[in-house]
Amino acid sequence: MSIPLPDELLKLPHTRDIPFERLTTLGIGGICRWLFEPSTEEEARLFVGACVRRDQPYRVLGVGSNLLVLGDVAEPVLRLRLGGKAARSGLEFTAPASHGHVALAEAAAAAGLSGLEWAGGIPGSLGGAVRMNAGAHGGEWGQVLARYRFLTPAGELVEKAPGPGEFGYRRSGFPPGAVVLSATARLAEGDPARIHALMAEYRAKRAAGQPRGVRSAGCIFRNPPGGSAGRLIDAAGLKGRRVGDAEVSLVHANFLVNRGHATPSQFLELMELVRAGVKEAHGVDLEPEVEIWR
Ligand code: FAD
Ligand code: EPU
C-alpha cells in the first residue's frame, strides 16, 4: 500500500517502489514506496522540515547492513547521498554521514592516523555506524567520536560532542528521526605500516571467523553480558539450521544468512527458533542486535 505524501515533500527529488532486496545487505523485505536521496545537507533539512510540518513519520536508511525489513514501507525513507570526502585537520578526521565506513577507515590509515583500524571490516555508512555505535576488536565509535552534526527530529541542525553515557554497546542516544549528517573522529598520529598491519590482522581474523560472499546483516543477536551469542548458538547445536533459505551460518552461528530467497517470515521463524534453542540449552534470553523495520 502507498500513502499520498504532501506536495511540499513531493517537490524534493525521490524515486518510487524500490525493493528492499536492493537496499539491504540481507536482501529481505518488501517495497520501499518512497525513497528520498538528498545530495546536500540543505535538501536533507528540507525533507525533515516538510515531514515535521505535516506530522509525517519517516525512516532513515544507511547502507542497510544492519537491517531486517519485514514488509513494504509506506513512510518516506531518507537515504543520504552527500558528496564530499573525508578531510583531515590536525588529528581530527571528518566525513559526511553517507561516506562508506570501510573507505573511511582506509582513508584514515592512508593519512597516517591511528584509531579506526578496527573499523576496516565493518560495512555500511558512517552515519549508520555512529547511530549503531558500531564496533569490533575492542574499538567502537563512542571511543573516537569527537563530535557530530545532525538534524533533530524537529528539523534543527545541531553540532555537538557526545555526552557522558550517550554511547554504549551497540547503542547511541539518538532519538528516532534524528539524522546524522557528518561526524568527526579524534585520532592519533600513527606509523602507516603498523596501522596497515593491524588492519590486515583484523581482516584475516574476520575472513577466518565470519561468513563471506553471502547475504547477511552481520551478527543478529547482541552478545549477552560477559558472553558470546555465537558461542551459545553454536553450543546449542543450531549451526546449519534452516527455515527455507534462512540459515544459521556454518561459519559463525550468530550470522543468520539469506541463502537466496529467504522471506521475512522465514527469517523471523529462524530467529525465534534460535532464541528458543538458546533459552532451552543455556537459560539465556538473546536480544536482537539487527534493527527490525515492521
Ligand atoms: P543501516 O543498516 O542502514 O541502518 C542501521 C540503523 O542506523 C537504522 O536504525 C538507521 O535508521 C540508522 N541510520 C543509518 N544512517 C543514519 C543516519 N545518517 N542518521 C541517523 N540514523 C541512521 N556491526 C558492528 O558493529 N560490528 C561488526 O563487526 C559488524 N560486522 C558486520 C559484518 C557484515 C558482513 C555485515 C553485513 C554487517 C556487519 N555489522 C557490524 C553491522 C553493520 O555493518 C553496522 O551496524 C553498520 O554500522 C550499519 O550501517 P548502515 O549504514 O548499513 O546502517
Ligand atoms: N564462537 C563459537 N562458535 C561460533 C562463533 C563464535 O564458538 O559459531 C566463539 C569463538 O570461538 C570465540 C567467541 O565465540 O571464542 C567469540 O566469537 P567472535 O570472536 O567471533 O566474536 P563475537 O562476540 O561473536 C563480536 C561482534 C562482531 C565483531 C566481532 C569482532 C557482537 C554481537 N558481535 O562477535 O560484530 O565483528 O566481535 O570484534 O557484538 C556485528 O555486530 O554485526 C558483528 C559482526
Side-chain angles (χ1 to χ4, degrees):
M1 200 189 66
S2 196
I3 50 169
L5 294 186
D7 286 346
E8 197 182 347
L9 258 182
L10 293 177
K11 276 192 274 181
L12 301 174
H14 60 273
T15 46
R16 302 217 41 193
D17 297 339
I18 319 289
F20 275 102
E21 188 186 339
R22 296 201 337 238
L23 298 174
T24 62
T25 54
L26 197 48
I28 292 179
I31 304 293
C32 174
R33 293 296 178 198
W34 304 94
L35 181 64
F36 289 79
E37 298 188 285
S39 56
T40 63
E41 289 192 356
E42 177 57 12
E43 264 178 30
R45 200 184 58 76
L46 289 173
F47 171 89
V48 173
C51 289
V52 171
R53 277 188 290 283
R54 299 298 171 136
D55 253 341
Q56 171 64 58
Y58 60 92
R59 305 192 191 198
V60 186
L61 177 68
V63 170
S65 65
N66 201 43
L67 212 53
L68 168 61
V69 183
L70 297 184
D72 292 351
V73 172
E75 289 120 38
V77 172
L78 179 78
R79 183 169 72 165
L80 297 173
R81 285 295 181 104
L82 306 175
K85 288 184 177 163
R88 178 177 182 173
S89 168
L91 294 178
E92 290 191 342
F93 210 52
T94 301
S98 41
H99 200 290
H101 195 241
V102 171
L104 181 74
E106 282 165 0
L113 288 171
S114 170
L116 283 177
E117 291 88 342
W118 53 269
I122 304 179
S125 64
L126 171 60
V130 172
R131 160 69 178 73
M132 295 307 304
N133 190 16
H137 317 292
E140 61 180 25
W141 267 98
Q143 298 166 358
V144 293
L145 189 62
R147 59 188 177 279
Y148 55 95
R149 279 160 60 76
F150 69 107
L151 291 167
T152 69
E156 291 153 353
L157 181 63
V158 175
E159 177 154 21
K160 72 186 274 290
E166 198 179 315
F167 287 82
Y169 168 60
R170 300 291 193 275
R171 174 183 66 71
S172 67
F174 297 119
V179 182
V180 180
L181 295 174
S182 71
T184 299
R186 188 174 296 116
L187 303 172
E189 206 74 58
D191 167 18
R194 288 181 68 153
I195 297 170
H196 283 112
L198 189 55
M199 288 177 84
E201 185 189 318
Y202 289 154
R203 257 196 299 272
K205 264 193 189 161
R206 208 176 266 271
Q210 296 183 1
R212 286 147 66 91
V214 59
R215 301 197 81 158
S216 85
C219 285
I220 291 294
F221 296 101
R222 305 165 73 81
N223 280 343
S228 157
R231 184 186 292 142
L232 294 176
I233 300 167
D234 191 353
L238 293 163
K239 267 187 170 167
R241 285 295 288 271
R242 271 180 98 136
V243 179
D245 270 352
E247 182 184 82
V248 179
S249 164
L250 289 164
V251 182
H252 191 300
N254 198 11
F255 279 66
L256 271 49
V257 302
N258 174 8
R259 305 284 306 183
H261 301 287
T263 63
S265 57
Q266 287 169 347
F267 203 85
L268 271 188
E269 194 181 326
L270 186 66
M271 282 179 71
E272 277 316 311
L273 190 151
V274 166
R275 278 168 79 141
V278 167
K279 178 76 177 168
E280 193 186 324
H282 309 290
V284 174
D285 285 309
L286 291 181
E287 298 286 337
E289 195 259 348
V290 66
E291 297 270 307
I292 301 178
W293 281 10
R294 294 173 197 281

